[in-house]
Amino acid sequence: MVGVARIGIDLGGTKTEGIVLDASGGTLVRERIPTERERGYEAIVSRTAELVARLRPHAPAAAHVGIGTPGSTSVRDGTLKNSNTTCLNGRPLHRDLERAIGLPVRMENDANCFAVAEAVHGAGRGHRLIFGVILGTGVGGGIVIDGAPWPGPQHIAGEWGHHRLDPAGPPCYCGQRGCAEALLSGPALAAAYAAAGGGPADAATIAARAASGEPIATRVLARYLDWFGRALANVVNILDPDVIVLGGGLSNLDALYDRGRDAVARYVFNDELRTPIVRNALGDSAGVIGAALL
Ligand SMILES: [Zn+2]
């Protein structure tokens, strides 16, 4: 495990990032390219392989490549499933990447990679059971126990993004309605704001408008934080993690850590909420660092 440089790839919905970590976990090289998922499956595979080829000279002894992806590999037939980069679903991504790259690949869900990185090098250090949360283009979650990911026998452990909160809620790409992802992702927040008459705006803008007292933003953000509380309280009730680490673009919303936390406390099956809910320590780097640690 130690002694050689390691290669990690974070295959995200909008960007694909590669990293080479030295033997002590320091960053040697980092490179980021747009995923361009609209160009389709084959383009994603070949561009990922090209990125690895550029990184390999910096890690000549690396015996495998760690890759974090949205979704997970089916135990049944080795194809990818549950990815919100939907062109990857049903395709043998693991096998095709190994063939294109020419090295063994260790693949894990991107939220699990995030959780591993935060558990080992970030905000989850010193805790035994970490629930890592991604709030971004999608909503993911990963469970880490004693430094190792816990994907579960079906590779769906921690997927809180697709537990149903509102059967009459907005449709989700998974085929259900009112999933946590359909209510808590960045696009979901933007869509709720637009539907309420606020016009096009991203999460940060909506939060800023709410802070300045704009009525639509205030109402939409309050509702968002309430859903956040209901969703995360369900997780706490089932898992009772030692710490919850938030990642993804929306983890920058300060309101999650006070009013959002209050909402979790309101719905949790307990008379208090002791669970720390903390901001990630590794920022954008967690996913790719976690992939390199696989
Ligand atoms: Zn869903």
Side-chain angles (χ1 to χ4, degrees):
M1 292 290 279
V2 262
V4 300
R6 310 164 70 95
I7 303 173
I9 302 288
D10 180 22
L11 213 177
T14 51
K15 62 177 176 12
T16 297
E17 186 161 18
I19 201 168
V20 178
L21 296 185
D22 66 22
S24 54
T27 301
L28 290 176
V29 199
R30 245 177 111 163
E31 189 181 333
R32 184 178 280 199
I33 58 173
T35 299
E36 297 181 344
R37 55 181 171 179
E38 65 282 357
R39 288 175 57 194
Y41 178 76
E42 280 78 14
I44 290 177
V45 170
S46 63
R47 285 161 53 79
T48 303
E50 288 162 19
L51 177 59
V52 172
R54 288 196 295 276
L55 297 174
R56 271 182 83 174
H58 303 280
H64 73 273
V65 176
I67 299 185
T69 64
S72 61
T73 301
S74 167
V75 180
R76 188 176 58 231
D77 61 5
T79 61
L80 201 78
K81 63 179 178 183
N82 294 346
S83 176
N84 53 6
T85 302
T86 48
C87 70
L88 303 178
N89 287 329
R91 308 298 294 263
L93 182 64
H94 192 152
R95 193 190 71 206
D96 288 346
L97 282 173
E98 283 192 332
R99 185 179 298 152
I101 289 168
L103 274 179
V105 163
R106 292 184 190 168
M107 219 161 83
E108 193 53 81
N109 176 268
D110 53 2
N112 291 353
C113 291
F114 163 80
V116 167
E118 288 294 334
V120 174
H121 290 303
R125 279 173 82 164
H127 293 284
R128 289 199 64 190
L129 201 166
I130 288 115
F131 186 64
V133 162
I134 303 281
L135 283 175
T137 314
V139 173
I143 298 166
V144 174
I145 303 175
D146 294 333
W150 186 272
Q154 304 178 98
H155 284 209
I156 54 170
E159 289 288 7
W160 76 306
H162 298 276
H163 77 285
R164 254 72 65 198
L165 293 165
D166 179 5
C172 182
Y173 77 90
C174 74
Q176 309 279 348
R177 302 187 79 96
C179 289
E181 173 156 325
L183 294 161
L184 296 177
S185 70
L189 176 57
Y193 184 67
D202 64 10
T205 306
I206 296 165
R209 287 178 186 170
S212 69
E214 194 232 86
I216 295 175
T218 302
R219 202 166 64 238
V220 168
L221 186 65
R223 182 135 182 84
Y224 178 90
L225 294 172
D226 190 71
W227 284 125
F228 173 81
R230 290 173 190 268
L232 211 47
N234 289 347
V235 174
V236 175
N237 286 351
I238 293 165
L239 202 58
D240 199 6
D242 293 303
V243 63
I244 296 170
V245 183
L246 304 188
L250 275 72
S251 68
N252 294 320
L253 297 180
D254 294 332
L256 292 176
Y257 304 92
D258 41 57
R259 291 163 60 207
R261 183 195 165 79
D262 291 346
V264 181
R266 193 153 65 235
Y267 295 113
V268 79
F269 183 57
N270 200 14
D271 58 0
E272 61 173 348
L273 179 70
R274 287 179 172 256
T275 320
I277 300 174
V278 300
R279 207 182 293 259
N280 64 84
L282 300 172
D284 271 1
S285 310
V288 74
I289 289 174
L293 292 173
L294 291 174

